[in-house]
Amino acid sequence: MTSSAQQGPSEEKRTAAETPLRALPAFAGTPTDSLIVRHFAMHLPGDRRSLFLSRVWTRRMATVLCWSGDVQRAVEVVARLVDNGVRHGIPSNVPAVEVQLTLTLATDEAGALVIDVADLNPAFPDFDAAVRGERGRGLQRVTFLGARVSRFLPHEGRGKTVRAVLPPGPVDV
């Protein structure tokens, strides 16, 4: 588990390229309008155990981050994203010792919870159709829970990251 917090006046002048969780390729858009304040990351096994581990960890970390939104909603969003990562994000040619997902929870200056699930498969055919519920219901359910969903490829390494941003406070569904 890692943590970082931005502090001091020089930190306020960071650019998007210097803030790893905000640096996105052009096709992904900007899923959060504010700079990341704090974040925690966890590596998960690329199998069904990751669902339980991610739910427990998310409950704890959303509290540690002092996020003011509905923690149970956040747990459900994480579970859907992790489940998708386990089902679709691990190519068959990846050696067993490398099979993992990375879950990151962060808060931004606006108080939103930024949830990233990184997997090892860069492909995501028909992402927009998946968000609309035309290719399964996982990402559609995430949007019904109040999250804005996007995806992007990392600047380094392989795979992709699916991001969900939940606003602070109560969300009407």
Side-chain angles (χ1 to χ4, degrees), residues 41-111:
M42 174 186 193
H43 294 292
L44 296 166
D47 58 34
R48 306 302 297 169
R49 295 175 296 161
S50 61
L51 288 171
F52 173 77
L53 294 170
S54 66
R55 286 175 181 270
V56 171
W57 189 78
T58 299
R59 281 186 193 96
R60 185 173 63 229
M61 289 300 107
T63 303
V64 169
L65 288 167
C66 300
W67 182 58
S68 64
D70 182 343
V71 173
Q72 194 54 37
R73 245 184 254 269
V75 168
E76 183 63 23
V77 167
V78 166
R80 299 282 178 161
L81 296 180
V82 168
D83 183 56
N84 278 354
V86 168
R87 290 174 187 249
H88 311 292
I90 311 293
S92 59
N93 63 346
V94 174
V97 296
E98 295 179 24
V99 172
Q100 71 176 12
L101 302 173
T102 302
L103 169 60
T104 305
L105 294 182
T107 51
D108 66 13
E109 290 177 325

Side-chain angles (χ1 to χ4, degrees), residues 67 70 73-74 77 111-115 145-148 164-168 171:
W67 182 58
D70 182 343
R73 245 184 254 269
V77 167
L113 184 68
V114 181
I115 302 163
L145 290 166
R148 289 179 293 147
V165 180
L166 283 169
V171 179

Side-chain angles (χ1 to χ4, degrees), residues 5 15 24 36-37 42 50 52 55 70 92 94 97 105 128 130 132 135-136 138-139 143 151 157 161 163:
T15 66
L24 302 175
I36 298 300
V37 177
M42 174 186 193
S50 61
F52 173 77
R55 286 175 181 270
D70 182 343
S92 59
V94 174
V97 296
L105 294 182
D128 294 328
R132 289 189 305 268
R135 294 186 48 119
L139 292 182
T143 60
R151 65 171 163 104
T161 300
R163 175 173 285 179

